[in-house]
Amino acid sequence: MQNLITFNYTILRQKLVVFTGAGISAESGIPTFRDANGMWGKYDAMKLASVAGFEEDPQAVLDFYNARRKNLLEVEPNHAHRVLADLEKQYDVTIITQNVDNLHERAGSSKVLHLHGELSKVTSSRNRLDPNCIKDYPLDVPIRLGDKAADGSQLRPYIVWFGEYVDNMELAEHLVRQADIFVVVGTSLVVYPAARLVDYAHREIPKFLIDPKDLKGGLPAGFQHIKAKAVEGVDELVRRLEELEK
Ligand code: OAD
């Protein structure tokens, strides 16, 4: 009987889908891409985050990602990551993230889908999506020129570079379509196809967007803007979710 009650409780929980971008990790000390002091203000994205850039100067690309991989060991999840993880007590939470850090997982979120890859993994530069070539790789071990993937090609970071196929997109779209509540945190919504996800949420469900700024493209239809940094905005989100329960 106890099992049955637990099972019913599980299936009755509302599906809360959260779509995150660089802004959620900003307070952990990982710079965003397009804010003042953002990554793509300092570095050339086409040189460091494209196949053409990797072919032209693989050492520069490896140096860039090795530094980001090492930095990940020095940062911690923040209050925003932790509150989203805590929401699993009440909701069936899925996180869809554009971030390549592992801060959602380290905060305790159990269902995290990465759209743009993961710094903690490596793959083949010839067969990026071959499951036999995708491996966990210690963050404190730099990827070097000459390191080989399982297919004998140069090892590369397991990151989706500009122009590359986002293989988890269909699953992400499916998850957003199923959402009972949809939350977007800390993304400029300018990188496609990921940004398209906001169009897949059902028209009638509650939708929240946490970002301290107005987005250049405007607030997507049907969203309530919680205009705050993620670390403060998540507390307001929890208050608004409690309102929905009343
Ligand atoms: P962006 O740098 O484009 O956008 C960051 C967003 O976070 C902006 O809307 C900021 O206003 C907001 N923001 C800044 N600080 C914040 C804070 N403390 N709390 C909440 N929000 C804050 O980053 P993304 O939209 O994530 O892709 O960028 C998308 C993709 O572009 C990345 O995944 C990356 C990049 O090129 C790849 O590398 C493939």
Side-chain angles (χ1 to χ4, degrees):
M1 193 60 181
Q2 179 64 43
N3 279 348
L4 187 61
I5 290 167
T6 311
F7 178 68
N8 279 339
Y9 175 70
T10 306
I11 58 171
L12 287 175
R13 282 192 309 167
Q14 287 192 297
K15 290 189 169 64
L16 176 70
V17 176
V18 189
F19 175 44
T20 65
I24 196 166
S25 297
E27 301 298 305
S28 293
I30 301 180
T32 62
F33 294 94
R34 295 173 185 81
D35 291 298
N37 296 322
M39 210 85 94
W40 295 152
K42 276 194 211 136
Y43 304 104
D44 184 340
M46 287 309 138
K47 288 201 167 127
L48 298 175
S50 74
V51 174
F54 188 57
E55 281 167 359
E56 193 184 307
D57 191 348
Q59 188 63 61
V61 175
L62 293 182
D63 287 347
F64 175 69
Y65 284 100
N66 285 335
R68 293 179 68 194
R69 293 170 63 249
K70 187 161 166 276
N71 178 249
L72 194 45
L73 291 169
E74 287 150 23
V75 299
E76 297 292 332
N78 64 50
H79 181 66
H81 298 103
R82 286 193 292 270
V83 167
L84 295 181
D86 258 17
L87 282 171
E88 291 192 11
K89 290 177 191 144
Q90 289 116 288
Y91 299 94
D92 176 4
V93 181
T94 304
I95 310 274
I96 301 170
T97 188
Q98 296 167 90
N99 298 344
V100 294
D101 65 49
N102 56 7
L103 297 182
H104 284 299
E105 289 91 338
R106 281 163 58 192
S109 283
S110 59
K111 288 197 272 179
V112 184
L113 181 70
H114 286 267
L115 289 182
H116 292 163
E118 293 171 72
L119 285 170
S120 58
K121 293 184 178 166
V122 291
T123 189
S124 143
S125 47
R126 199 182 311 135
N127 301 299
R128 175 176 65 95
L129 298 176
D130 180 347
N132 294 322
C133 293
I134 302 167
K135 298 263 183 286
D136 288 332
Y137 206 71
L139 290 165
D140 58 350
V141 177
I143 308 167
R144 292 161 310 179
L145 274 184
D147 288 344
K148 299 277 191 269
D151 62 359
S153 74
Q154 171 64 45
L155 212 55
R156 61 166 268 186
Y158 180 61
I159 301 289
V160 181
W161 286 331
F162 285 103
E164 289 187 312
Y165 176 64
V166 179
D167 54 308
N168 280 332
M169 196 58 202
E170 267 180 44
L171 175 57
E173 288 167 8
H174 170 78
L175 291 165
V176 173
R177 277 201 201 93
Q178 307 292 313
D180 298 306
I181 301 170
F182 186 45
V183 180
V184 174
V185 188
T187 170
S188 56
L189 293 179
V190 298
V191 173
Y192 283 80
R196 211 169 61 204
L197 282 181
V198 293
D199 301 328
Y200 286 89
H202 195 283
R203 264 181 57 188
E204 317 237 312
I205 64 167
K207 300 187 207 54
F208 304 94
L209 182 142
I210 303 175
D211 199 296
K213 293 197 197 134
D214 291 323
L215 300 194
K216 288 213 176 91
L219 188 64
F223 277 79
Q224 298 178 38
H225 190 178
I226 299 176
K227 205 168 172 179
K229 289 180 174 177
V231 287
E232 292 140 16
V234 287
D235 293 332
E236 177 59 23
L237 172 71
V238 169
R239 274 190 286 280
R240 294 198 195 182
L241 292 175
E242 281 165 7
E243 284 297 313
L244 293 176
E245 300 293 317
K246 283 181 187 162

